[in-house]
Amino acid sequence: MFSIAREKVRPIITFNIDNLKEESDIQVSNFKEPFLFLKKQNQLFAYVHLNNLLQVNIENQQIKLKTLLDSSKSIDSVCRLNEQISLPVLFQIIGEPIAIVKRENGGFDGYIRREDVLAELFKQENKSVDLLKIILTSIPMGIFILDREKIIINCNDSGLKMMKSTAEQVMNQPAEKLFSGDHIKNVFATGKTILNHVQITGDTGVLLDYSPIFNFKEEVEGIVIVVQDLPMVEEMAMEIEYIKNLNKDMNAILSSIYDEILVVNQKGELIRFSDNVIPGFWKVDLKEMIGKNILELENQGLFCPSVTRMVLEKKKKVSIVQETRNGRKILAVGNPVLNEKNEIDRIIIASRDITETTRLKTELKEIRKISEQYKKELDDFKNKDRFIKKLIYRSPKMERIINQARKIADFSSTVLLHGESGVGKEVIAQAIHQLGNRSSKPFLKLNCGAIPENLLESELFGYAKGAFTGADKNGKEGYFKQADQGIIFLDEIGEMPLHLQVKLLRVLQEQEVIPVGSTTPIKVDVQIIAATNKQLEKLVEAGTFREDLYYRLNVIPLHIPPLRERIEDISVLAFHFLQQLNDKYNKSFHLTPDAINVLEFYPWPGNVRELQNIIERLIVSSEDPAINAEFVSQFLKLGYDLKKSKPVITRVIPLQEAIDHVEEQLILLAMKQFKTTTKAAKALGVSQSSVSRKYQKILNDRNMNIENTVPN
């Protein structure tokens, strides 16, 4: 027994909350004691640690009653002390910051702080009472305390008995000598508790819990190992081993489940079988085969070979296809179950009739072969269909271009498209992207002539954070970075400034870009398709385009012919654009045959783009759904110049030459007057096909003469 020092007992300061509301203000600074006891209906029901409360409300020492109540703790959890303290009461004192001292008449004499009680108890150790030892001894489980160095620094008698050791053998010794080193390291490393670890040695069997001891910084300072005795460990171990054997059998069976399951012993004798048996296979009742050797059935010629015999010979899992007398095929899988001596103890046989399955498998193989062929053809059709949606053509020249584009799409080589403005270079670039292995990746296009020179560099290569005034504070990815794994289409490549040509050359050679304002290169995987309507060779000679860049771009050159050189495409393109506009505006315009003739004889300096614009202009302007040649002629400058026609014959020349000159003048005059080949042929008294053919030849000859006279 321990006595309480009377000078340590402090007065109980109470505060009655009767008739107060939760929003009532309370001046807590008026209470001088660190603990305030709350009273209701003349009974103490809670206490408040004012020091903790004032730390939270340091600026305003006037708080609401609700806050006071929320911070309070029930008085029921506080220990009631007499002047004499017994050891069991000591455990209750440790749990709360204060204890209440009772009077002999049942009232309260005051309260005492936990620190004062413990300090007084330790001062009274002249009675040779070791409080910690009493606490450890009172615990029925074994306790071992480890420090940071994994050394055992304390333990109780219960633990020593369970581990069959003495204090001299374990104290100040490495814990790994007695317990699992891996678990100890794991607790120190993770700070997590390990529960219910069974430890069995030669003469001990215990259940261990490894719990970390944390300091105020939440660091693991040590470990408490709690030990519980397991007197039935040996019986449990035997039962666990038996369960393991059962699980081994079960796993073997589960891994072999088919339609029919047989279990035979190491002699080949049938022990049991499943309810599902293959009809008509055994020719005998399997119930009569229990305890008999099924190897004899092979000798009788019932089936061949025997999977049981093969498993016994090879001592491993065997899968075979058995054939019966009537030609049926059975898939049999024999799975051996070994005992602790690595000898066969059981054989699990799973069988399934695959006669029909074999036939179906052969048919399925053929069907799959045909299906793969159909799938390949369908994919080709889909690609063709997707390609045709972008490219409308009928001429042999465009057919060659399309075939070239198909081949190019299988590679990542740099492509240079050149041709007049409006011939469809961008459409060809998109087709290469769609037909290639980069179709699922980005396709970005940039017109080098449409963006100011000071912005073109940042658009192409991006810029770093804070690269220049007005730049995005987070920087920006350029087209090359955005198009990574895909394709970038650089239109009007001839308009690119010289200093940017150097950076583009680096991209082609090194496959990397350096953003504006940065010195760190970024790797990119981009296929470049460039396009121009200029002769880059002339620009190289003039010094406005780098020669090395030209050769790096000109890996796969592809010339897109102008529309006047592929007259066969004019009609199909015209009908295509007309149908698009009809669908868009819900109209039903159509071109008459003579209108198509006029379109085919026009030279189309603006190529496909000009044709598309003319068709839209015709639809917007026409009041008649049928668009004829006369109406089309109003929007086309046909280019006839009668003043420059052949002169009248005034000297002797070969007759055929004179005939050709006169014929040319007549055809030109008739076409100017009548607009269509049909009416012109009627006026000239010849067939329409003759006029159409000769008029086309005249226009082609004139266009060639014009091209040959234009300076390079």
Side-chain angles (χ1 to χ4, degrees), residues 255-269:
S255 66
S256 307
I257 286 182
Y258 286 86
D259 293 338
E260 177 184 274
I261 304 294
L262 304 180
V263 180
V264 300
N265 61 18
Q266 70 275 14
K267 298 178 182 180
E269 298 171 343

Side-chain angles (χ1 to χ4, degrees), residues 20 143 465:
L20 292 179
I143 302 293
K465 179 172 61 176

Side-chain angles (χ1 to χ4, degrees), residues 331-475:
L331 174 64
V333 179
N335 195 25
V337 180
L338 305 179
N339 58 21
E340 62 276 2
K341 296 180 181 180
N342 203 30
E343 298 173 344
I344 293 179
D345 188 51
R346 296 284 190 275
I347 299 176
I348 311 298
I349 302 173
S351 302
R352 173 177 293 178
D353 189 346
I354 61 169
T355 306
E356 186 67 15
T357 304
T358 303
R359 183 184 65 81
L360 293 175
K361 184 178 180 181
T362 303
E363 293 181 1
L364 180 60
K365 187 176 181 180
E366 292 298 321
I367 292 174
R368 282 180 175 173
K369 184 177 180 181
I370 297 173
S371 177
E372 289 296 326
Q373 181 65 28
Y374 285 158
K375 183 177 183 299
K376 184 177 182 302
E377 293 177 1
L378 181 59
D379 289 341
D380 291 341
F381 286 141
K382 286 181 178 179
N383 290 335
K384 179 72 174 178
D385 180 63
R386 181 175 59 179
F387 188 71
I388 291 177
K389 286 180 181 180
K390 287 290 184 181
L391 295 175
I392 307 299
Y393 65 94
R394 191 168 62 186
S395 63
K397 289 186 177 180
M398 282 306 298
E399 182 68 32
R400 288 193 294 271
I401 295 296
I402 300 312
N403 291 335
Q404 287 180 298
R406 290 181 188 275
K407 295 179 181 178
I408 293 170
D410 294 332
F411 303 91
S412 296
S413 303
T414 304
V415 182
L416 179 61
L417 304 176
H418 50 88
E420 296 180 5
S421 178
V423 294
K425 296 186 288 296
E426 181 179 330
V427 176
I428 298 296
Q430 289 176 336
I432 293 174
H433 171 256
Q434 293 173 1
L435 294 177
N437 52 16
R438 296 175 181 258
S439 58
S440 61
K441 302 302 180 180
F443 176 84
L444 301 182
K445 52 188 177 182
L446 183 70
N447 191 316
C448 300
I451 299 178
E453 181 177 338
N454 57 339
L455 295 179
L456 183 59
E457 182 176 7
S458 61
E459 288 295 320
L460 277 173
F461 306 105
Y463 55 82
K465 179 172 61 176
F468 50 85
T469 304
D472 191 307
K473 63 179 181 179
N474 297 320

